[in-house]
Amino acid sequence: MYTADRAQKQYSDLHYSDLPSGRGRRENGPASSSVQFYEDDSLFLDSLSEFVGAALGAGGACVIVATNAHRAGLIERLKSNGVDLSYTTAVHRFVALDAVDVLGRFMVGGHPDEERFNAAIEPELLRARKALRGSSTSVVAFGEMVSILWQEGKYEAAIEVEKLWDRVAQRHAFSLRCAYPIGLFTDQAQYELFRQVCSNRTRMVSGESHSFLDGEGDRHRMISSLQQKAWTMQAVMKGREEEILNLKRVEKKLQRSQEFAKGLVECSADCVKILDLNGRLEYMSPTGLRAFEVGDAEQLRGRLWSELWVVDDRSRAEAAVAAAVAGEVGTFVGEYMAPSGKRAWWDVRIAPCLDAEGRLDQLVAIGRDVTELRLAQQAAIEAEKHATAGRMAATIAHEINNPLEAVTNFIYLAQTSKDLPQEAREHLDAADRELSRAAQITRQTLGFYRGGTRQKWISMPELIQDILNICGAKLRNKQLATFVSIDPDIAVYGKDGELRQALLNLTANAVDASHTGGKLWFRAHRAHNWKSGGEQGIRITLADNGVGMAPEVQGRIFVPFFTTKTGTGTGIGLWVTKCLVEQQGGHMRFRSRQGEKSGTVMTLFLPVRRNTSADHAEVA
């Protein structure tokens, strides 16, 4: 048990004149009212433990209103000095309250309410006084609520709480101490408030020496010490000013470098973009904004870069971003559809950008408009296609038409022979009909390559029927059933030869992929391309229930010279077909799967030219 005698010995060197016992007590007010300014929490708690321990050691009581951290620190120090807090707390000689909780009881609208303040504080003081032992009349109180209010910038409220403490002390004689971290008084505008805090207290406690400054001499010495600190601080500040000047010079050089780099980017013909590590746009150069027809850069900020491109190209754009994030240089060539409907192709390189510590920070994407180059390549492909078609037409004309004429003449001679048996005549008639059909198919095939540059209205039912006639032998050999669903008056404006070649390529692929006894579906109907503002057109669909395509094949079917028909395929059929459709302003899509319910669906969309009513007379 921590006895009063033991406590008296423990704290015999402390300032008992600070306690309201014996000669130090004033009947009409507190024995003392002190304020402590401190820099170090540990030294502050040492001083506070001496203040409280002296009262408890003399048989007195204390009421502590402090933060959780300071209450815990005070209790730890009192226990280490032998104070039996379990006993003193049980008999109400040691009362420890939470400052934040007590503030909440009496603060109203940012200011303290006196009636509520009294209700929160006075009962605890009366309970402590009733618990005094023997002849002791010493009651001390510590309040940290003013410090909390000051930290929150509620200076006037803190001064009001100081005054409320004084009024309570007028009614209940006790020694009061409040405390502030000295760091709270750094603003010169707070000088008058600081003066009020000091003038309201009879004593100031130095946070470093734990001593009371009662006389003018002590206060002057403290001021001199503070002045020395101020001079030291002034020297430090002078050094800081020189550092700041150096930093400003470096910053100015850096700013010039940034302006130079910015000028290079803005004057470049390339589109420069900055992406975050998720592939979202943070910056696009003025050249890019003009090319992408974007008026306000904020429209793009935070948007996924891959979403700028047409749907078919987005997966490759995402792969390029992933390569850059992995530390490589991502490459990408994609198509952009501007708000005005203008199409452009861009060749983009995406590189990782590292910070000063060598960590991946951003991605830099530099794109170059290659639309003219791509159109030139497409024109070259188109020219080569027509040249190849011309050579093919000449070969067919030479190798097939001449023998067909000869055979036709021989059949005619045989039919005009005398005494020809009826059965033989019937066979010759059948052969003549089949030969005529073969000649018609040859003429239709040659029609793919003749006059293909002139656009005209093409009847879709007639075009599909011609395709079925040309592929008739293949369809019969595989016993394929065909289902045709086409409006009888539906037509599209374009190049007859190119459209025929495209549909023939798709039909041939569908036949090759079909099982014996399979099915083919042909459909054509009017539709709209909602991705191009509701553009009117014709949608042509060709579907089969064949073997379908594996995912790795689907990603390469439009790559030139890629083929799964080893030894028989050239690998340019679908590539040429896609080019032909796009040359007519359309686009091509497909779906395919393997396994149960396998098959492939190829879809073409061809725009219908508007205001062409005068051309309806010219229908293929």
PDB file of all heavy atoms in Angstrom, residues 75-91:
ATOM      1  N   ILE A  75      -0.503   7.766 -15.789  1.00  0.00           N
ATOM      2  CA  ILE A  75      -0.748   6.605 -14.919  1.00  0.00           C
ATOM      3  C   ILE A  75       0.500   5.728 -14.835  1.00  0.00           C
ATOM      4  O   ILE A  75       0.869   5.234 -13.761  1.00  0.00           O
ATOM      5  CB  ILE A  75      -1.966   5.816 -15.431  1.00  0.00           C
ATOM      6  CG1 ILE A  75      -3.251   6.643 -15.205  1.00  0.00           C
ATOM      7  CG2 ILE A  75      -2.072   4.469 -14.745  1.00  0.00           C
ATOM      8  CD1 ILE A  75      -4.483   6.042 -15.842  1.00  0.00           C
ATOM      9  N   GLU A  76       1.175   5.541 -15.971  1.00  0.00           N
ATOM     10  CA  GLU A  76       2.389   4.713 -15.976  1.00  0.00           C
ATOM     11  C   GLU A  76       3.461   5.313 -15.085  1.00  0.00           C
ATOM     12  O   GLU A  76       4.127   4.600 -14.308  1.00  0.00           O
ATOM     13  CB  GLU A  76       2.908   4.601 -17.410  1.00  0.00           C
ATOM     14  CG  GLU A  76       4.165   3.756 -17.529  1.00  0.00           C
ATOM     15  CD  GLU A  76       4.669   3.698 -18.953  1.00  0.00           C
ATOM     16  OE1 GLU A  76       3.991   4.239 -19.857  1.00  0.00           O
ATOM     17  OE2 GLU A  76       5.755   3.128 -19.163  1.00  0.00           O
ATOM     18  N   ARG A  77       3.636   6.627 -15.137  1.00  0.00           N
ATOM     19  CA  ARG A  77       4.665   7.267 -14.310  1.00  0.00           C
ATOM     20  C   ARG A  77       4.300   7.229 -12.824  1.00  0.00           C
ATOM     21  O   ARG A  77       5.171   7.012 -11.966  1.00  0.00           O
ATOM     22  CB  ARG A  77       4.859   8.721 -14.773  1.00  0.00           C
ATOM     23  CG  ARG A  77       5.696   8.809 -16.043  1.00  0.00           C
ATOM     24  CD  ARG A  77       5.587  10.189 -16.675  1.00  0.00           C
ATOM     25  NE  ARG A  77       6.537  10.361 -17.776  1.00  0.00           N
ATOM     26  CZ  ARG A  77       6.398   9.817 -18.978  1.00  0.00           C
ATOM     27  NH1 ARG A  77       5.333   9.052 -19.206  1.00  0.00           N
ATOM     28  NH2 ARG A  77       7.302  10.018 -19.913  1.00  0.00           N
ATOM     29  N   LEU A  78       3.023   7.457 -12.481  1.00  0.00           N
ATOM     30  CA  LEU A  78       2.609   7.406 -11.080  1.00  0.00           C
ATOM     31  C   LEU A  78       2.812   6.012 -10.500  1.00  0.00           C
ATOM     32  O   LEU A  78       3.297   5.863  -9.363  1.00  0.00           O
ATOM     33  CB  LEU A  78       1.149   7.841 -10.953  1.00  0.00           C
ATOM     34  CG  LEU A  78       0.859   9.326 -11.233  1.00  0.00           C
ATOM     35  CD1 LEU A  78      -0.636   9.585 -11.219  1.00  0.00           C
ATOM     36  CD2 LEU A  78       1.558  10.233 -10.208  1.00  0.00           C
ATOM     37  N   LYS A  79       2.468   4.994 -11.277  1.00  0.00           N
ATOM     38  CA  LYS A  79       2.648   3.628 -10.781  1.00  0.00           C
ATOM     39  C   LYS A  79       4.121   3.298 -10.597  1.00  0.00           C
ATOM     40  O   LYS A  79       4.506   2.614  -9.636  1.00  0.00           O
ATOM     41  CB  LYS A  79       2.004   2.638 -11.753  1.00  0.00           C
ATOM     42  CG  LYS A  79       0.486   2.638 -11.710  1.00  0.00           C
ATOM     43  CD  LYS A  79      -0.081   1.584 -12.652  1.00  0.00           C
ATOM     44  CE  LYS A  79      -1.596   1.520 -12.560  1.00  0.00           C
ATOM     45  NZ  LYS A  79      -2.159   0.492 -13.484  1.00  0.00           N
ATOM     46  N   SER A  80       4.965   3.782 -11.540  1.00  0.00           N
ATOM     47  CA  SER A  80       6.396   3.495 -11.415  1.00  0.00           C
ATOM     48  C   SER A  80       6.995   4.175 -10.181  1.00  0.00           C
ATOM     49  O   SER A  80       8.038   3.744  -9.686  1.00  0.00           O
ATOM     50  CB  SER A  80       7.123   3.954 -12.681  1.00  0.00           C
ATOM     51  OG  SER A  80       7.081   5.371 -12.800  1.00  0.00           O
ATOM     52  N   ASN A  81       6.358   5.234  -9.700  1.00  0.00           N
ATOM     53  CA  ASN A  81       6.820   5.931  -8.495  1.00  0.00           C
ATOM     54  C   ASN A  81       6.145   5.419  -7.221  1.00  0.00           C
ATOM     55  O   ASN A  81       6.283   6.016  -6.148  1.00  0.00           O
ATOM     56  CB  ASN A  81       6.595   7.433  -8.621  1.00  0.00           C
ATOM     57  CG  ASN A  81       7.568   8.071  -9.596  1.00  0.00           C
ATOM     58  OD1 ASN A  81       8.737   7.702  -9.652  1.00  0.00           O
ATOM     59  ND2 ASN A  81       7.083   9.023 -10.371  1.00  0.00           N
ATOM     60  N   GLY A  82       5.391   4.333  -7.319  1.00  0.00           N
ATOM     61  CA  GLY A  82       4.827   3.684  -6.138  1.00  0.00           C
ATOM     62  C   GLY A  82       3.459   4.146  -5.736  1.00  0.00           C
ATOM     63  O   GLY A  82       2.967   3.773  -4.660  1.00  0.00           O
ATOM     64  N   VAL A  83       2.780   4.930  -6.555  1.00  0.00           N
ATOM     65  CA  VAL A  83       1.442   5.395  -6.193  1.00  0.00           C
ATOM     66  C   VAL A  83       0.449   4.261  -6.426  1.00  0.00           C
ATOM     67  O   VAL A  83       0.405   3.669  -7.504  1.00  0.00           O
ATOM     68  CB  VAL A  83       1.048   6.624  -7.019  1.00  0.00           C
ATOM     69  CG1 VAL A  83      -0.380   7.044  -6.690  1.00  0.00           C
ATOM     70  CG2 VAL A  83       2.022   7.764  -6.749  1.00  0.00           C
ATOM     71  N   ASP A  84      -0.351   3.960  -5.390  1.00  0.00           N
ATOM     72  CA  ASP A  84      -1.373   2.916  -5.505  1.00  0.00           C
ATOM     73  C   ASP A  84      -2.633   3.529  -6.125  1.00  0.00           C
ATOM     74  O   ASP A  84      -3.519   4.006  -5.425  1.00  0.00           O
ATOM     75  CB  ASP A  84      -1.670   2.338  -4.117  1.00  0.00           C
ATOM     76  CG  ASP A  84      -2.627   1.153  -4.203  1.00  0.00           C
ATOM     77  OD1 ASP A  84      -3.085   0.847  -5.338  1.00  0.00           O
ATOM     78  OD2 ASP A  84      -2.901   0.545  -3.167  1.00  0.00           O
ATOM     79  N   LEU A  85      -2.704   3.503  -7.446  1.00  0.00           N
ATOM     80  CA  LEU A  85      -3.830   4.141  -8.125  1.00  0.00           C
ATOM     81  C   LEU A  85      -5.123   3.360  -7.951  1.00  0.00           C
ATOM     82  O   LEU A  85      -6.210   3.931  -8.048  1.00  0.00           O
ATOM     83  CB  LEU A  85      -3.500   4.313  -9.613  1.00  0.00           C
ATOM     84  CG  LEU A  85      -2.449   5.372  -9.952  1.00  0.00           C
ATOM     85  CD1 LEU A  85      -2.236   5.456 -11.449  1.00  0.00           C
ATOM     86  CD2 LEU A  85      -2.879   6.727  -9.416  1.00  0.00           C
ATOM     87  N   SER A  86      -5.023   2.059  -7.739  1.00  0.00           N
ATOM     88  CA  SER A  86      -6.253   1.282  -7.524  1.00  0.00           C
ATOM     89  C   SER A  86      -6.994   1.790  -6.290  1.00  0.00           C
ATOM     90  O   SER A  86      -8.219   1.974  -6.306  1.00  0.00           O
ATOM     91  CB  SER A  86      -5.909  -0.204  -7.361  1.00  0.00           C
ATOM     92  OG  SER A  86      -5.283  -0.701  -8.528  1.00  0.00           O
ATOM     93  N   TYR A  87      -6.236   2.051  -5.226  1.00  0.00           N
ATOM     94  CA  TYR A  87      -6.849   2.537  -3.992  1.00  0.00           C
ATOM     95  C   TYR A  87      -7.346   3.969  -4.147  1.00  0.00           C
ATOM     96  O   TYR A  87      -8.488   4.296  -3.803  1.00  0.00           O
ATOM     97  CB  TYR A  87      -5.839   2.447  -2.852  1.00  0.00           C
ATOM     98  CG  TYR A  87      -6.305   3.125  -1.578  1.00  0.00           C
ATOM     99  CD1 TYR A  87      -7.291   2.545  -0.777  1.00  0.00           C
ATOM    100  CD2 TYR A  87      -5.778   4.363  -1.205  1.00  0.00           C
ATOM    101  CE1 TYR A  87      -7.728   3.185   0.370  1.00  0.00           C
ATOM    102  CE2 TYR A  87      -6.205   4.993  -0.062  1.00  0.00           C
ATOM    103  CZ  TYR A  87      -7.191   4.402   0.728  1.00  0.00           C
ATOM    104  OH  TYR A  87      -7.620   5.036   1.855  1.00  0.00           O
ATOM    105  N   THR A  88      -6.463   4.850  -4.662  1.00  0.00           N
ATOM    106  CA  THR A  88      -6.850   6.255  -4.771  1.00  0.00           C
ATOM    107  C   THR A  88      -8.011   6.443  -5.743  1.00  0.00           C
ATOM    108  O   THR A  88      -8.846   7.336  -5.556  1.00  0.00           O
ATOM    109  CB  THR A  88      -5.663   7.101  -5.224  1.00  0.00           C
ATOM    110  OG1 THR A  88      -5.144   6.554  -6.433  1.00  0.00           O
ATOM    111  CG2 THR A  88      -4.573   7.140  -4.167  1.00  0.00           C
ATOM    112  N   THR A  89      -8.081   5.608  -6.749  1.00  0.00           N
ATOM    113  CA  THR A  89      -9.203   5.707  -7.689  1.00  0.00           C
ATOM    114  C   THR A  89     -10.488   5.213  -7.029  1.00  0.00           C
ATOM    115  O   THR A  89     -11.561   5.802  -7.200  1.00  0.00           O
ATOM    116  CB  THR A  89      -8.914   4.893  -8.958  1.00  0.00           C
ATOM    117  OG1 THR A  89      -7.726   5.381  -9.573  1.00  0.00           O
ATOM    118  CG2 THR A  89     -10.071   4.984  -9.957  1.00  0.00           C
ATOM    119  N   ALA A  90     -10.374   4.132  -6.272  1.00  0.00           N
ATOM    120  CA  ALA A  90     -11.566   3.555  -5.627  1.00  0.00           C
ATOM    121  C   ALA A  90     -12.193   4.521  -4.627  1.00  0.00           C
ATOM    122  O   ALA A  90     -13.420   4.562  -4.481  1.00  0.00           O
ATOM    123  CB  ALA A  90     -11.198   2.244  -4.947  1.00  0.00           C
ATOM    124  N   VAL A  91     -11.350   5.311  -3.939  1.00  0.00           N
ATOM    125  CA  VAL A  91     -11.883   6.238  -2.928  1.00  0.00           C
ATOM    126  C   VAL A  91     -12.106   7.623  -3.527  1.00  0.00           C
ATOM    127  O   VAL A  91     -12.352   8.584  -2.781  1.00  0.00           O
ATOM    128  CB  VAL A  91     -10.934   6.325  -1.728  1.00  0.00           C
ATOM    129  CG1 VAL A  91     -10.794   4.967  -1.045  1.00  0.00           C
ATOM    130  CG2 VAL A  91      -9.566   6.877  -2.131  1.00  0.00           C
TER     131      VAL A  91
END
